Amino acid sequence: MIPAHIYNDKELFALEKERLFSRAWTFVAHESEIPQEGDYVVRRVLDDSFIITRDSAGDVRAMFNMCLHRGMQVCRAEMGNASNFRCPYHGWTYRNDGRLTGLPFHRDAYGGDEGFAKNQTLLPAPKLSSYNGLLFISMDPGAEPLQDFLGDFKFYLDFYTKQSTGGLELRGPQRWRIKANWKIGAENFAGDMYHTPHTHASIVEIGLFREPKAQKRKDGATYWAHRGGGTTYKLPPGGFDERMRYVGYPDDMIGRIKKLWTPRQQQIVGEDGFMISAATCFPNLSFVHNWPKVHDRNGRNDGVLPFISIRLWQPISEHETEVCSWFAVDSAAPPQYKQDSYKAYLMCFGSTGMFEQDDVENWVSLTTTAGGSMARRLLLNSRMGLLLDDRPVVEALSAESFHGPGRAQVGYNENNQRELLKLWADYLQMPRPALTAAAPATGTAVTE
Ligand code: FES
Ligand SMILES: [Fe+2]
């Protein structure tokens, strides 16, 4: 049972800032967003702004976007390409690797190199690491390695992010704010198969999507593995290739995927008959893989085509979230596929997406209601899939019927939402990591 006020509570939000986002690995960008030397994007982890650059030596860095002089935000553009960043306030200049290189009136104001040697850099993010091109920051210098943090969830991340050796390319993000708590989106993408037939009924009615009929959705499985979990759809009979074609992958993509996915990853599709759909990586990174109808023709796959979206639920306050929504596609995919897949994404998700509009109406309303005093007297029922004595309604799938790590089960349940909130509660009970103020040092960003 979940106290209803956790979806709109100022004190809890302060605790999330202090204990969760100060520690957990948080997604900030994908390496393909900064392919060339000098490319940068500016991203935030809650209130902290970072310049994510590929410096002139080709290394990826995350630098705290605060001038070493009086603290102005050094880079105010959202993305671009620059060899230097010049602070708008008094004009201190930094190389794209963070080194301070220029101060106006260096000799007159500071006594030249003798008075101020300029051997300083913008403060690096405490920790920066990547998996399949996904860049994560941790604000905790003592954070466990990203690979360990993700753990078995990496198995599932690969389905979205590793379809050729070149990896993903991204478009976006589209950014917008919703008056909803960040945890609701994270929970929804982690495991809410139950809302699809109801909330998104009109999408099935107009024929955009053939899958989310109530009967079909409940045949899918949900899985949870360490720091993340998600939903799947049950596929019709067939082998790996047939089933990949069923959701609309062209043969050349299937060929590349087969070379990269491990036998176990391929067994999920080819033997077990499940196709991954939405997922959440704790705390606030979600993925979606769907296959709506983008063509009217009734070809061998009914005109459906898959798309992948990566989304970040960036907390603004206890009742507001900035959604960052990227379209992601395999870099080696054929140009026509990329175009059609982008169209598929835009119809379903992003600021124009129909799924998006349906979902957010619920989330905003829920958040508003959770902010009142009555919500403090209510425990929400999050027990789906559990009997009164806590035994599961449906047993977990065996290792032979679901080849992925973690726990998986068929049918409607709220196991993943509970797992996500369990992790959340664990973090809220840990003390915040120690903060030490450091004088800007010479040297390079701390990366793994
Ligand atoms: S605050 Fe940046 S140069 Fe003064
Ligand atoms: Fe939805």
Side-chain angles (χ1 to χ4, degrees):
M1 303 300 285
I2 309 294
H5 68 92
I6 69 164
Y7 299 106
N8 191 346
D9 185 309
K10 210 178 172 61
E11 282 170 39
L12 275 180
F13 184 65
L15 219 54
E16 288 170 354
K17 266 188 176 179
E18 182 190 303
R19 300 189 172 179
L20 167 55
F21 290 98
S22 60
R23 203 182 268 284
W25 285 96
T26 311
F27 176 75
V28 285
H30 188 270
E31 282 176 27
S32 68
E33 294 182 90
I34 45 170
Q36 311 291 338
E37 289 167 14
D39 285 349
Y40 68 86
V41 292
V42 172
R43 296 282 152 77
R44 281 183 297 112
V45 178
L46 285 142
D47 302 325
D48 294 311
S49 171
F50 291 96
I51 313 173
I52 319 288
T53 65
R54 189 177 295 275
D55 68 24
S56 298
D59 292 331
V60 173
R61 292 170 186 275
M63 307 174 301
F64 182 38
N65 190 8
M66 188 178 204
C67 182
L68 300 179
H69 177 222
R70 305 293 305 161
M72 174 62 186
Q73 204 175 337
V74 176
C75 179
R76 307 229 295 164
E78 186 158 344
M79 53 179 66
N81 183 287
S83 53
N84 296 285
F85 298 102
R86 176 171 296 142
C87 178
Y89 201 174
H90 312 92
W92 284 25
T93 306
Y94 304 85
R95 291 286 300 162
N96 58 15
D97 59 5
R99 273 179 296 142
L100 174 64
T101 51
L103 298 84
F105 302 103
H106 185 211
R107 182 170 304 281
D108 299 339
Y110 293 94
D113 282 337
E114 224 173 285
F116 187 169
K118 289 192 297 193
N119 56 352
Q120 300 187 343
T121 66
L122 290 171
L123 205 58
K127 285 272 190 179
L128 171 69
S129 190
S130 73
Y131 181 74
N132 288 354
L134 303 164
L135 291 164
F136 293 81
I137 281 177
S138 173
M139 303 298 283
D140 177 7
E144 62 184 319
L146 175 66
Q147 305 279 333
D148 298 349
F149 175 86
L150 297 171
D152 280 343
F153 186 66
K154 291 197 299 259
F155 179 95
Y156 301 99
L157 267 178
D158 290 351
F159 287 102
Y160 304 94
T161 54
K162 204 165 100 181
Q163 298 188 341
S164 75
T165 48
L168 290 179
E169 62 185 41
L170 267 61
R171 284 187 214 175
Q174 291 179 313
R175 284 193 299 118
W176 66 93
R177 288 185 179 196
I178 57 177
K179 291 277 183 196
N181 184 270
W182 67 273
K183 293 190 287 299
I184 307 172
E187 283 179 354
N188 177 283
F189 276 67
D192 200 330
M193 303 206 299
Y194 193 55
H195 86 294
T196 320
H198 194 70
T199 285
H200 303 301
S202 59
I203 295 176
V204 181
E205 278 163 23
I206 62 166
L208 174 64
F209 201 32
R210 70 183 169 192
E211 310 293 347
K213 296 179 184 117
Q215 201 55 32
K216 264 192 148 169
R217 186 87 261 221
K218 84 169 174 32
D219 295 337
T222 56
Y223 61 85
W224 184 270
H226 197 56
R227 287 276 160 58
T231 70
T232 66
Y233 279 99
K234 184 70 181 173
L235 295 161
F240 182 82
D241 290 37
E242 271 170 283
R243 285 168 161 167
M244 293 295 281
R245 277 187 214 121
Y246 170 78
V247 302
Y249 280 105
D251 285 351
D252 56 337
M253 289 185 77
I254 298 173
R256 281 188 291 271
I257 285 170
K258 281 206 301 202
K259 288 194 194 121
L260 280 180
W261 290 1
T262 63
R264 273 180 78 196
Q265 286 170 327
Q266 293 184 45
Q267 278 169 314
I268 295 265
V269 177
E271 281 181 36
D272 309 337
F274 294 109
M275 183 62 74
I276 53 115
S277 183
T280 293
C281 177
F282 180 80
N284 63 336
L285 173 65
S286 292
F287 295 85
V288 57
H289 174 244
N290 273 348
W291 40 100
K293 213 171 168 134
V294 283
H295 301 299
D296 279 336
R297 66 167 181 266
N298 265 334
R300 61 179 180 181
N301 57 11
D302 280 346
V304 304
L305 199 95
F307 72 86
I308 294 167
S309 171
I310 300 177
R311 46 217 8 258
L312 193 62
W313 314 104
Q314 278 213 107
I316 301 295
S317 74
E318 63 277 13
H319 50 65
E320 190 168 22
T321 301
E322 183 171 270
V323 187
C324 296
S325 174
W326 289 263
F327 165 69
V329 67
D330 181 54
S331 56
Q336 187 63 45
Y337 174 89
K338 287 183 182 176
Q339 206 174 312
D340 290 344
S341 184
Y342 189 44
K343 182 177 161 191
Y345 157 75
L346 289 172
M347 288 195 298
C348 294
F349 286 92
S351 50
T352 55
M354 280 190 265
F355 281 90
E356 203 89 60
Q357 321 278 337
D358 290 343
D359 285 329
V360 168
E361 189 61 26
N362 293 316
W363 303 348
V364 170
S365 200
L366 190 173
T367 302
T368 310
T369 317
S373 69
M374 281 304 285
R376 295 191 167 263
R377 302 168 211 207
L378 179 64
L379 293 176
L380 299 173
N381 188 312
S382 195
R383 290 187 51 86
M384 194 192 305
L386 294 177
L387 298 167
L388 279 180
D389 61 3
D390 289 349
R391 279 179 306 125
V393 175
V394 175
E395 290 301 326
L397 286 166
S398 67
E400 292 76 49
S401 44
F402 192 86
H403 284 82
R407 182 191 187 280
Q409 75 167 78
V410 170
Y412 295 134
N413 69 88
E414 280 161 346
N415 184 55
N416 290 359
Q417 291 92 320
R418 290 191 293 270
E419 291 289 348
L420 195 83
L421 285 184
K422 241 186 262 174
L423 276 175
W424 170 80
D426 287 348
Y427 271 84
L428 292 202
Q429 287 173 60
M430 288 186 235
R432 79 182 304 162
L435 293 178
T436 42
T442 26
T444 54
V446 184
T447 52
E448 288 179 26

